[in-house]
Every structure is written in C-alpha cells, then in structure tokens.
Amino acid sequence: MFVGVGASRVRDMFEQGRKSAPCLIFIDEIDAVGRQRGAGLGGGNDEREQTLNSLLVEMDGFDTTEGVIIIAATNRPDVLDSALLRPGRFDRQIYVDLPDMIGREQILRVHARRLSLADNVDLGVIARGTPGLSGADLANLLNESALLAARRNRKKIDAMDVEDAREKVQFGRERRRLMDDEEKKLIAYHEAGHALVQGVLDDGHMPVHKVTIIPRGRSLGSTMFIPKKDVLTRAMKRMLSSIATGLGGRIAEELALGDISNGATGDIKQVTAIARAMVCDWGMSPLGPIAYGEHHDTVFLGRDITRAETVSEDTARRIDAEIQRIITEQYEVAKKIIVAHRSALDKIAEALLEHETIEGRHVLEIIEFGEMRSPITAGFVSKPADKADDKKTADKPSSAEGLGAGPAPSPTPA
C-alpha cells in the first residue's frame, strides 16, 4: 500500500532473525521480490526494487558468527537478479527435479498410508507408469482413485480405480458428447491412424497404451502413449517417429473418408514444434549443429531489448525449408505404413466404433494377427453417448490425440 513498507519489513525480519539466533529464515517464492532490477520497458521508481535492495544489503551484512541461515525457494530461478545469487548471499543452489521411479514409489507410499488399498494395487507398477508426474500429481492420483472407488461402492481402492484415475490425471476426464455416426467414424479413423503408425514404428520405448473415441478433457478422441521408463534424452529416430505418428490421423482421414478435417490442428502444431526444435535447437538437420535464433520471451526482464537478431534472411529460408522437408518426409513414411496396413486400419477403426475404447495390446494384435485375440477389459461404464448434451469442441491432451482446434499440451517426450 505504501512506498517503503516492503523494504522496512525486510529489515525487521532480519533484525528478528539476529535476535533469535541461531535461527533459519525461509523465504518462499523469492522471485516475487527478487526479480532482476532494471526490468521492463518503462521508467520510474519500482517499489519492488527497493525491497530487493534492502534484501541484498541485509544479506551482505551477515557473517559466519551470527548464526542465521537463509533459505529461499522459487520455480523461476531464471528471472532472479544476479546479485542475489552470488556466493556470500546464497552460497549453494540446489535444483529439485521431478521424482524418478524410486522417488515416485516412495511418494505414493506416503500418500497411501491413510488409504485402504486392495491386494491387486502395486505402487511400484503405478510408479513405473507415471513418468513426469510431480509429488502433487501423485497425491491427486490417489485422491482421484479414492473418489472413483467411493462412487463404485467399494470399500478398498482397486487397481481399476487407480488405472482410471491415472488416465483422468494424465489425459483428462471422460466427457461424453452427442455425436452422429459420421463424426464417430471420422474420430475412429483419426485415432486408428495415430495408433497404427505408432504401433508399427515403436521400438518398445513409447508403446500405445489405449485408444478411445470417448471425449476426454478437450479432446474428442485420444491415442495415449505411456513411456516404459523416464525419458531423459531424445533420440533423432524417435523424434521422427513422433512426427510420423502425429501425422497419421490426418492421413487416415484422407485415405479412408476422402476428406480431411480440422481435427489435426493440434497434431500439426506439435509436429511443427518438434521439427523446428530439431533444426534450430538440437542440430538434427543438414544445417549442422548450430543454434539458430533464441527465444525472446524475457524482453520485459530488460535482457533482450538491445539484442540483435542472430539469423539472416537466407538462413531463415533454409530453416523453413528443412522443417518442411522433415515433415514432408515423415508424412510419406506414415502414408506408406497406413497404405500397407490398410486392413489393419479398418479393423482398428471398427473395433473403436464397436467398443469405444481398446488397449494397446489390441492394436498390436490387429497389426500382427489381423484380429483382436485378447478380451476387452470391462471398466467403469458411464452414461451412454446418446444421453450426453454437450456439443463438439476442441483438441488433445496427449501426443497424438483428439479432434478439434485447440492447443495441445504434451506429456510425452515430443
């Protein structure tokens, strides 16, 4: 409310710390007052800078005999002022990454203490199937599992409850919408195209987990991929396979129905982003291992105002040509796969129209044997599609899902 209040409170806090020594001072979300000075395009006095200056002065006055230790936390270390991070103020910086498989299992065990789990629930299996989830996501996963078990009048959380909750957390909640047969067929072939290409190209690293034409979140259909292990590196062949898989839905629509829809909007954005990263960031093109261009997302931090453009017009044209070449080549790869396995495409689409949801093993069985040999697992049945009263909307939450025109966040390595 008043100028100077923030700086005054910083001085009071450190004075109390000195009186209470030995003590710990913990500052959460320090980026609220620790952002880089001189930021922004305008002038004038910034109250936040006064608070930061006061913080810097107080921390600089400490010595090893005062018995006061300062700990701070933030999820935006890139915006902090460099003076705040130098040794003498914060001597040690610790990066807390997302938990690995062992960490996820231990986190699940902590949150499962207050829950009643059935004998068929294996927390180790859940940990292997939830790469990329944070501790809060895992807690939410078990909470959703408990809610599903309560809705199904179960005394204990079953493995099916956990599986359904995982899909809800990672890919969105099922939301049935009113669709006619033409739209269902379009969605079925679109998802069958994704699943078929990925089933043929996959080397066991990113298998198809489940294919559904039931709307989830903002998607009208989903092809879900869950990696076998935590993804730490991105190989070029797998990136190319991801592009081909993303284009499989558009190709299947064109070959099976003779027309295309806006359902591939999210796919096109995603494959373009992958191809651009391959050329500009990862050096996976004939242009060589050179970083072309930089992100200009920190202009209001006062860092990029005077920075010159690093890419010439000729280089920009070559970059565009390489991106187009990569996507065009993978489009042809995906098209050859779908043409060669056209009967499998039809059978996957027919299975989706009949059962609405099939598992990845069913896709592989159709590709290998020409038919599904495993039974369909009976899950929780929600209200039928013809009772829904929602209208068709947009796109996809996973790497190759959905029909629509919205943005598509991706939990996959793509």
Side-chain angles (χ1 to χ4, degrees):
M1 292 175 60
F2 304 103
V3 174
V5 172
S8 175
R9 287 178 176 172
V10 168
R11 291 192 294 270
D12 292 343
M13 177 183 68
F14 280 91
E15 184 62 30
Q16 293 178 29
R18 290 187 180 93
K19 291 179 180 179
S20 304
C23 76
L24 298 174
I25 296 178
F26 177 69
I27 307 173
D28 196 14
E29 303 296 350
I30 195 173
D31 58 280
V33 295
R35 283 179 177 262
Q36 179 177 347
R37 290 169 292 180
L41 299 175
N45 180 56
D46 190 348
E47 169 66 13
R48 187 173 55 205
E49 288 191 10
Q50 292 190 23
T51 307
L52 174 59
N53 287 334
S54 179
L55 182 64
L56 294 175
V57 170
E58 292 293 335
M59 291 181 66
D60 211 30
F62 279 154
D63 57 41
T64 57
T65 62
E66 293 200 12
V68 180
I69 297 176
I70 305 169
I71 305 172
T74 179
N75 59 352
R76 289 297 308 275
D78 56 308
V79 304
L80 294 180
D81 192 88
S82 57
L84 189 64
L85 299 178
R86 72 165 177 80
R89 292 196 173 98
F90 288 109
D91 297 298
R92 183 172 300 174
Q93 298 179 27
I94 302 172
Y95 177 71
V96 181
D97 201 355
L98 291 173
D100 58 9
M101 187 175 71
I102 298 175
R104 290 194 298 272
E105 182 176 356
Q106 293 173 343
I107 292 172
L108 286 169
R109 293 193 185 283
V110 170
H111 293 296
R113 289 174 184 170
R114 59 186 176 83
L115 301 175
S116 180
L117 302 179
D119 295 335
N120 62 352
V121 177
D122 187 344
L123 295 181
V125 173
I126 299 173
R128 281 196 299 272
T130 51
L133 265 64
S134 65
D137 293 328
L138 295 172
N140 186 38
L141 171 65
L142 291 181
N143 287 337
E144 291 289 347
S145 303
L147 289 173
L148 287 175
R151 289 172 186 166
R152 298 168 185 177
N153 296 320
R154 291 178 177 153
K155 299 296 183 182
K156 293 185 177 181
I157 298 175
D158 191 75
M160 182 61 69
D161 301 324
V162 178
E163 176 68 17
D164 292 344
R166 181 179 69 171
E167 292 177 3
K168 179 179 179 181
V169 169
Q170 290 185 303
F171 305 108
R173 182 177 64 88
E174 284 191 2
R175 296 177 58 191
R176 292 184 177 270
R177 299 170 183 173
L178 184 63
M179 286 184 277
D180 58 20
D181 293 339
E182 182 180 355
E183 282 184 330
K184 285 184 178 180
K185 186 176 181 180
L186 172 68
I187 297 169
Y189 271 100
H190 184 100
E191 302 306 330
H194 288 312
L196 176 60
V197 175
Q198 181 67 9
V200 173
L201 292 178
D202 182 49
D203 56 0
H205 169 74
M206 184 77 68
V208 179
H209 172 63
K210 190 171 288 188
V211 189
T212 180
I213 58 173
I214 299 174
R216 270 187 185 275
R218 298 178 61 201
S219 70
L220 296 179
S222 305
T223 302
M224 308 172 192
F225 314 124
I226 295 182
K228 287 289 188 182
K229 62 176 184 177
D230 293 351
V231 178
L232 302 177
T233 58
R234 303 182 178 187
M236 180 175 176
K237 290 183 179 178
R238 288 172 181 165
M239 292 296 98
L240 294 175
S241 297
S242 297
I243 294 175
T245 299
L247 296 170
R250 162 67 67 92
I251 297 170
E253 291 179 23
E254 186 176 5
L255 291 180
L257 305 177
D259 197 5
I260 57 177
S261 70
N262 68 338
T265 302
D267 301 327
I268 293 172
K269 290 180 179 179
Q270 188 171 13
V271 300
T272 304
I274 296 173
R276 184 171 294 278
M278 290 175 66
V279 175
C280 298
D281 299 328
W282 303 333
M284 296 180 179
S285 76
L287 295 183
I290 303 173
Y292 292 103
E294 297 182 30
H295 296 292
H296 292 260
D297 55 353
T298 55
V299 62
F300 290 102
L301 295 178
R303 296 177 183 172
D304 298 339
I305 298 174
T306 60
R307 186 172 64 182
E309 185 60 56
T310 58
V311 178
S312 66
E313 292 184 7
D314 180 62
T315 302
R317 281 193 291 268
R318 293 168 63 195
I319 290 173
D320 292 339
E322 282 299 318
I323 294 172
Q324 186 175 17
R325 178 190 63 81
I326 291 173
I327 294 177
T328 302
E329 288 180 357
Q330 295 311 305
Y331 185 93
E332 294 301 323
V333 169
K335 189 172 184 178
K336 288 179 181 178
I337 291 174
I338 293 178
V339 170
H341 298 81
R342 177 57 194 274
S343 61
L345 177 73
D346 294 333
K347 290 180 180 179
I348 295 172
E350 290 169 4
L352 286 172
L353 290 171
E354 180 180 356
H355 302 287
E356 291 188 327
T357 301
I358 61 176
E359 298 179 31
R361 56 194 171 98
H362 298 136
V363 174
L364 297 180
E365 288 169 358
I366 291 175
I367 294 174
E368 185 175 356
F369 307 112
E371 61 180 358
M372 289 195 306
R373 296 189 175 183
S374 301
I376 298 291
T377 303
F380 179 64
V381 179
S382 57
K383 64 179 182 178
D386 57 356
K387 296 292 182 65
D389 52 7
D390 290 327
K391 293 289 287 181
K392 172 182 177 181
T393 56
D395 208 11
K396 52 173 216 164
S398 85
S399 69
E401 301 176 17
L403 277 95
S410 169
T412 67

